[in-house]
Structures are given as structure tokens and as C-alpha cells.
Amino acid sequence: MRKILLLSLVIASPLAIAGPQCTSAERSQWQDPKAFQEQLKAQGYEISKFKITDGNCYEIYGFDKDKRKVEIYHDPVTGKAVKAEIKG
């Protein structure tokens, strides 16, 4: 029984920490990643890391205009923030 419980925890853990699902749209409908980052920079964001997640999100790590550390998931089609975490 313990083995089954441990196995279920190992399998479920990555799902629990995975980011949101942002879009199912074709990549041809997504905003250009470089242009999208430039828009964020124009709004005062400093981007330390940018990536495309398994959930089809644009994810940024960096700082907002108030110099607070942030992690934000964006819908790559609309650019809308789907999930944001301010870390400082």
C-alpha cells in the first residue's frame, strides 16, 4: 500500500506545480515573442528570463516597474496575464 501511495505522490507532484494552460490556439496566431517582450519593457518591466511553457504560455521572470520581483504567465495570443506572482 505504501508503494502505491508513494507512486501516486510522485506522479501527481509535477501536475501540482505545473503552470496554467494559456491557449490551444495555433502558434501562427501567437504574438511574436520578441515584440511581446518589447511591449512589456515599454511598460516598465525588466525581463530576466522568458520562456514558452508546456501549457502554451509566455512566462516571464523579472521585475515590474516598481522593482518588485515577479513571475507572470501570459496568454501568447491576447497578451493578457493569466497568472502572476509578486515575490517581493
Side-chain angles (χ1 to χ4, degrees):
M1 188 64 148
R2 276 186 170 173
K3 288 181 183 179
I4 293 172
L5 178 60
L6 287 174
L7 182 59
S8 66
L9 289 174
V10 169
I11 292 170
S13 293
L15 298 175
I17 60 172
Q21 177 69 33
C22 290
T23 188
S24 58
E26 298 279 331
R27 288 214 178 191
S28 62
Q29 297 175 347
W30 292 18
Q31 295 184 38
D32 177 73
K34 290 182 183 192
F36 178 74
Q37 290 176 72
E38 290 303 318
Q39 291 173 3
L40 291 178
K41 289 176 184 176
Q43 295 172 23
Y45 286 90
E46 181 181 322
I47 300 171
S48 304
K49 183 177 179 182
F50 175 87
K51 68 180 194 175
I52 298 172
T53 69
D54 291 337
N56 292 328
C57 301
Y58 285 164
E59 181 181 13
I60 66 156
Y61 295 86
F63 299 90
D64 67 9
K65 64 181 176 161
D66 298 321
K67 304 298 180 204
R68 296 177 297 186
K69 196 173 191 177
V70 295
E71 176 182 351
I72 307 173
Y73 294 83
H74 294 271
D75 180 312
V77 176
T78 66
K80 183 178 176 180
V82 175
K83 179 181 175 186
E85 185 177 328
I86 298 173
K87 300 184 178 213

